[in-house]
Amino acid sequence: MNAPIDPDRFPIPDYIAAIAPYVGGKPISEVAREYGLDENSIVKLASNENPLGMPPAAQRAIDAALREVGRYPDGNGYELKQALSAKYDVPLDWLTLGNGSNDILELAARVFLAPGKSAVFSQFSFIVYPLATQAAGARSIVVPATQVLGHDLAAMHAAIEADTQVVFLANPNNPTGTFLPAAQIENFIASISPRVIVVLDEAYNEYLPSHLRFDSVAWVRRYPNLIISRTFSKAYGLAGMRVGFAIAQPVVTDVLNRIRQPFNVNCLAQAAAVAALADTAFVERSAAINAAGYRQLTTAFDALDLPYIESFGNFVLVRVGDAARINLELLRRGIIVRPVANYGLPEWLRITIGLEHENRAFLDALGAALNA
Ligand SMILES: *Cc1c(COP(=O)(O)O)cnc(C)c1O
């Protein structure tokens, strides 16, 4: 565990010292070492990664771009921005590239938050919101979730205070998988004071069935205080490359770009993202496999009488009771999932939807773990 920081030796701000470290999914190599397992036998369903890996076109683009790594990347990400501009029909000066969309969330926090300011977000929403808020020295206003662990938009609206500068909203949300339809989100944005920035985090957008899709970019045209955050880490299969982006009007985009690192997205990531963006078939196949995997997992949860939250992402939150114990039983059997006690959900596990055989391996181990 981390030793406490001695404030006399290192005079760091209290709000930095108080940050709880991010707890990610356990790496496969670590579980192999700890449990004496063969790495190849381990199934990782812990970090909402695409079980197909990256698109082959991205692999080829990375191979080609490797020759260029002796040089700095294009700090303006011209090619990737061109491709995004064409896809979303926005000018280049509406786009900010990030080292993952996590970078986008942090840039928003660092621009708009500071000591004496606050950010509003829901209970059980993405853990980076409190982390980024606290790192900026601002106060988190955490709004209780609804009965079904979703965002309570009316309560979030009511929670906005005079010093509130940012509202973070994930749709679909992680770790719950909950989703709010377009009309509710737009009414919410329309009801917010234009001096408050709304960060609409759409990391799982590509998994939505077409009838639930909506044109959030059209809202950016209407609302100067809206930032849309997207990522290549999930459906595009590039989690390890670290690339995401924001769409916002030029005034906001300008300030986000001023504080980002000049070369925050490396050249391999830029090349891979351009290729992945063009491979729409890969994203469609990913979404289809995900939908089938969702049915596979939830059918089994129904049969086991385990409650779960209807999910619109590439993962399912399932209530297993003593989740810490079940998690250990799963790890012993070479299955890595995500405990979410740090989100205040000690009875639940978050399962990333994998390929058919991976889901099967998880379900077999879960059956054994529940009876152990
Ligand atoms: C995974 C995730 C992200 C971003 O991840 P990056 O890899 O940093 O792009 C952002 N928001 C939510 C809600 C996520 O689940």
Side-chain angles (χ1 to χ4, degrees):
M1 281 280 86
N2 298 4
I5 296 163
D6 177 353
D8 295 331
R9 262 189 85 180
F10 300 111
I12 62 170
D14 291 346
Y15 60 83
I16 299 286
I19 291 176
Y22 177 83
V23 185
K26 264 181 185 286
I28 289 175
S29 54
E30 187 181 316
V31 173
R33 269 197 311 277
E34 278 181 21
Y35 294 87
L37 299 167
D38 173 4
E39 285 198 15
N40 296 314
S41 73
I42 291 175
V43 171
K44 185 183 176 209
L45 301 174
S47 301
N48 299 347
E49 294 147 344
N50 190 325
L52 294 175
M54 70 176 138
Q59 170 84 64
R60 287 192 296 276
I62 290 166
D63 289 346
L66 262 178
R67 285 189 285 276
E68 300 299 323
V69 297
R71 297 189 187 282
Y72 280 100
D74 174 0
N76 290 318
Y78 180 76
E79 270 191 59
L80 178 53
K81 281 192 189 170
Q82 280 290 339
L84 291 167
S85 162
K87 183 173 168 82
Y88 292 103
D89 192 22
V90 291
L92 296 182
D93 63 357
W94 290 45
L95 293 165
T96 308
L97 302 183
N99 192 267
S101 61
N102 199 324
D103 195 21
I104 299 294
L105 302 173
E106 297 230 352
L107 292 176
R110 278 170 48 214
V111 167
F112 297 102
L113 296 175
K117 308 284 187 192
S118 66
V120 165
F121 49 85
S122 178
Q123 182 187 23
F124 311 135
S125 60
F126 191 38
I127 210 142
V128 169
Y129 309 155
L131 285 175
T133 300
Q134 190 161 5
R139 183 167 58 97
S140 289
I141 300 177
V142 184
V143 179
T146 63
Q147 285 273 307
V148 288
L149 311 190
H151 289 42
D152 183 340
L153 292 179
M156 288 178 72
H157 183 270
I160 291 172
E161 295 184 18
D163 67 0
T164 300
Q165 287 280 259
V166 175
V167 175
F168 290 106
L169 195 61
N171 198 44
N173 183 48
N174 170 22
T176 58
T178 55
F179 172 77
L180 290 168
Q184 289 185 40
I185 300 282
E186 190 183 2
N187 286 342
F188 176 76
I189 298 167
S191 75
I192 301 285
S193 157
R195 62 160 189 86
V196 177
I197 293 288
V198 178
V199 179
L200 180 58
D201 179 350
E202 299 189 310
Y204 300 96
N205 175 272
E206 293 81 9
Y207 290 107
L208 292 172
S210 50
H211 70 278
L212 293 179
R213 292 283 175 86
F214 49 82
D215 187 4
S216 50
V217 178
W219 301 341
V220 179
R221 296 179 217 286
R222 232 169 299 152
Y223 303 103
N225 56 327
L226 179 61
I227 300 175
I228 303 273
S229 172
R230 297 281 186 98
T231 184
F232 284 91
S233 297
K234 308 287 160 57
Y236 287 104
L238 293 175
M241 278 284 129
R242 313 304 304 129
V243 48
F245 61 98
I247 305 178
Q249 287 194 17
V251 173
V252 167
T253 299
D254 178 46
V255 285
L256 293 177
N257 274 285
R258 279 191 222 189
I259 65 154
R260 73 174 172 83
Q261 287 182 33
F263 303 104
N264 62 334
V265 183
N266 72 69
C267 40
L268 303 184
Q270 291 187 32
V274 170
L277 199 63
D279 195 345
T280 50
F282 178 86
V283 173
E284 278 166 28
R285 192 155 76 90
S286 300
I289 288 171
N290 189 65
Y294 180 75
R295 286 190 296 274
Q296 183 187 3
L297 290 178
T298 54
T299 302
F301 295 156
D302 284 334
L304 290 165
D305 237 343
L306 295 176
Y308 57 88
I309 304 293
E310 182 182 21
S311 175
F312 295 83
N314 65 344
F315 55 89
V316 191
L317 193 66
V318 59
R319 187 174 197 162
V320 295
D322 185 353
R325 182 185 77 80
I326 300 291
N327 183 52
L328 282 178
E329 293 291 342
L330 290 173
L331 285 172
R332 283 182 45 211
R333 292 168 174 82
I335 307 287
I336 315 175
V337 299
R338 181 71 71 91
V340 282
N342 58 331
Y343 280 89
L345 296 164
E347 297 197 337
W348 300 75
L349 291 173
R350 190 194 68 192
I351 320 300
T352 299
I353 298 168
L355 301 175
E356 209 268 344
H357 73 273
E358 295 173 318
N359 300 331
R360 172 59 40 212
F362 157 70
L363 290 169
D364 288 348
L366 178 65
L370 289 166
N371 291 320

